[in-house]
Amino acid sequence: MSLQLQNTLSGKKEFFKPVNPSHVRIYACGPTVYNFAHIGNARMAVVNDLLVRVLKTQYKKVTYVSNITDIDDKIIDASKETGEDISVITSKYTEIYNNDMSALGVNLPDIQPRATDHIKEMIELIKKLIEEEKAYEKEGHVLFHVPAFENYGILSKRNRDEQIAGSRVEVAPFKKDPADFILWKPSPSPLPGWVSPWGFGRPGWHLECSVMSEKSLGLPFDIHSGGIDLVFPHHENEIAQTCSISENKHPEDFATFWFHNGFVNVEGEKMSKSIGNIRLVHELNKKYKGEVLRLTLLSAHYKQPLNWTEDIIEQNNKMIDRLYRVLLELSEVEIDSKIPSESIMESILDDLNTPKVIAKLNEEANDVSSASDERKREIKNNLLSAGKILGILENDPSSWLGYNQKNTENTEEIERLINKRNEARRSKNFNLADGIRNILKDKGIEIEDTDKGTIWRKSK
RNA sequence: GGCUCGGUGGCAGAGUGGUGAUGUAGGGGCCUGCAAAGCCUUGCACAGCGGUUCGAUUCCGCUCCGAGCCUCCA
C-alpha cells in the first residue's frame, strides 16, 4: 500500500516516490494578504494540510512550506482604498488568515516565508536570468523572454501559437514577445519598492515562489501545489524562471509532483466580486463549527469542483453529528491501535479519496448497533484514527453534541423545568409535560428521555 | 476559436466490465404516553445514440449539455 497522487505534470495518477525518503518536502503557493480568505483559499489550505498529514503517516520527516504574498498590486490598491499602510494590511490579514485556517483544523506550515523578506534573492535570480539571456530590461522593467525557454507550456499543456491566437492580453509595447512576463517593474513614488540594478521597483508575482521554494527546500523537492488556476500562468512562469538557469531544464528538476486542487463554486457559480457571492471563511466560522466546514470541503474529491451551498454544509453537519453520537455511545470502549484499517488507509492513499474514506467511516458507524466488543474497539479506532488524518472527530463527543453543558447560564432553570416535567409525566399530566418541553425547545434546549433518565442538549 | 475536465437516484458524492456505494432528504415499521435519539426497512441512478463484448453506468466513437483556463485569480 503506498501513496498515489494525480500529477498535473504527467496528467496521470502516479505512485509518490520522494526524492529523498528520509525528508519529504512540499511547497504550496499561499495567499496574497489584502483581504479575508474565502472558502476557495480554505480548500487549498485544507487539502494541503490533509496531504501533509497523510505524508506524515508514511514518512518520518516532512517539511511543509507555504508562503505569504505580502507585496502585490492588489495590496497596493487595498492600501489606497483604506488609507492603511501596506505593512499594516499585510500583517493584519496574515494573522486573520492563520486564525481562520486554524479554526478549520489547518496546522501552520513548518515554514511560512514572506515575499518581502526575499527581495534580495529575487534580484539575484533576475540578474542570473539576464546573464543567461532569458530575461531583458526595457524601460525600467525586466521581462522574462518566454521563447528563450523551450519547455514553456509543458505543465499546462499549452501550445504557444494557440495561446497567442486566443490571447486577450494587452501587449505592452516594451515586450519582445506577447507572452513575456514581468520579473521587475518600476515603482514611481509613492509606491512601495526596493533599490535594484534596474531602478527603484518591485518584483513580479511569480518570482517569489521560485525563490522561496528553492531557498527553503532546495531543488528538486517533492511536491509543488496550489489551486488549479495557478497551473497557468503562475506555475508555468515559476517553472520558466527556475528551470531556465543552470541545469534545471525540466519541471521535474524543480518539483517532481505538481499537485492542484479544484475550485469552489458557490450555488453553481464561480465566486467573484462582481457577482458578490464570495464566501469568507471568517464569516462561515461564525455560523458553523470548523470541523463541519472542513468535512464539507473534504466531502468531494480534492480535484473535482466543489459546489458550496448551505444545503451541503447542513448535510455534512448532520453526518458528523451522527459520527459523534456513535463515538459517544462508544465512550466506554478502550482502544489500543492508532492506525485505521487497511481498507480505510487504502482509500486515503489512493489520491486522497476522502469521499470514499468518509463513506467507509459511515459504514463503520452503521455496524455499531450489532457489534461485538472486539468490533466496537475496531470501529472506535477507525473513526478516531482516520478522523485524525482527516482532521475531524477530534472534539469531545458529548460537548460537540451539546449535552448537559454545565457552564450554560440557565442550567439550573433547565434542570428545574426538566424535574417539573418529569413530575407531570409521573402524574400522567402529559399536556403540562409537553408544554414544558416546548418551553425548553424555545430556549434552544432539546430533551431526550432515556432509560437512564432525561438528558438535554443545546439544539443548535 | 484553442486546451483541459466533467455529465451517476430529490440533493451531495464515490466507484465498478456481471452483487448493496455512502450520506442527506422522502416512504413504511419498531421503540416512546407523545417526542427526541436510536434501530429495522424502502429507491426500475448512471445525458443520448451507435460500437466492442456472452454481458457496459464502467471500454471506444459520435452527438448534446455544463465547467475551468487562455497572462488579476485558491
Side-chain angles (χ1 to χ4, degrees), chain A residues 129-224:
Chain A
L129 288 168
I130 293 174
E131 270 167 37
E132 302 211 12
E133 297 183 339
K134 306 294 181 184
Y136 57 94
E137 185 196 356
K138 206 135 190 211
E139 298 173 31
H141 296 71
V142 182
L143 290 110
F144 185 91
H145 192 46
V146 167
F149 179 58
E150 57 179 11
N151 279 334
Y152 196 82
I154 203 170
L155 177 71
S156 55
K157 292 156 186 68
R158 233 164 262 269
N159 171 304
R160 263 185 52 74
D161 299 333
E162 287 158 358
Q163 192 180 299
I164 292 163
S167 175
R168 53 177 156 87
V169 64
E170 272 184 61
V171 179
F174 45 77
K175 282 189 182 184
K176 282 189 190 169
D177 185 281
D180 292 353
F181 60 90
I182 298 268
L183 298 173
W184 192 264
K185 59 183 157 189
S187 280
S189 181
L191 294 183
W194 292 262
V195 175
S196 83
W198 318 284
F200 192 74
R202 58 190 196 278
W205 171 39
H206 316 295
L207 206 52
E208 56 181 82
C209 291
S210 281
V211 161
M212 293 187 289
S213 60
E214 176 168 6
K215 189 185 175 192
S216 52
L217 294 172
L219 299 186
F221 55 91
D222 298 297
I223 302 172
H224 197 130

Side-chain angles (χ1 to χ4, degrees), chain A residues 320-371:
Chain A
I320 200 166
D321 276 0
R322 172 175 171 259
L323 294 177
Y324 269 116
R325 265 179 210 291
V326 170
L327 285 176
L328 184 63
E329 197 182 323
L330 298 178
S331 47
E332 301 301 313
V333 174
E334 303 277 339
I335 56 166
D336 37 25
S337 161
K338 284 190 173 126
I339 302 165
S341 70
E342 246 184 59
S343 150
I344 290 174
M345 214 46 219
E346 206 174 318
S347 297
I348 293 175
L349 295 177
D350 182 10
D351 200 19
L352 313 181
N353 193 339
T354 50
K356 201 168 186 181
V357 174
I358 294 165
K360 285 180 177 173
L361 294 184
N362 279 306
E363 281 171 11
E364 293 293 298
N366 288 340
D367 275 4
V368 157
S369 60
S370 59

Side-chain angles (χ1 to χ4, degrees), chain A residues 443-455:
Chain A
K443 292 179 188 293
I445 301 299
E446 197 73 51
I447 55 177
E448 298 174 22
D449 296 326
T450 72
D451 49 5
K452 287 176 190 147
T454 302
I455 58 174

Side-chain angles (χ1 to χ4, degrees), chain A residues 4-19:
Chain A
Q4 293 185 79
L5 295 173
Q6 178 80 16
N7 189 349
T8 307
L9 190 56
S10 64
K12 287 181 199 147
K13 192 158 76 176
E14 295 174 7
F15 282 101
F16 175 72
K17 286 201 188 70
V19 175

Side-chain angles (χ1 to χ4, degrees), chain A residues 75-89:
Chain A
I75 303 172
I76 295 172
D77 292 345
S79 170
K80 275 184 201 156
E81 260 174 51
T82 63
E84 283 175 303
D85 196 72
I86 284 179
S87 63
V88 172
I89 293 177

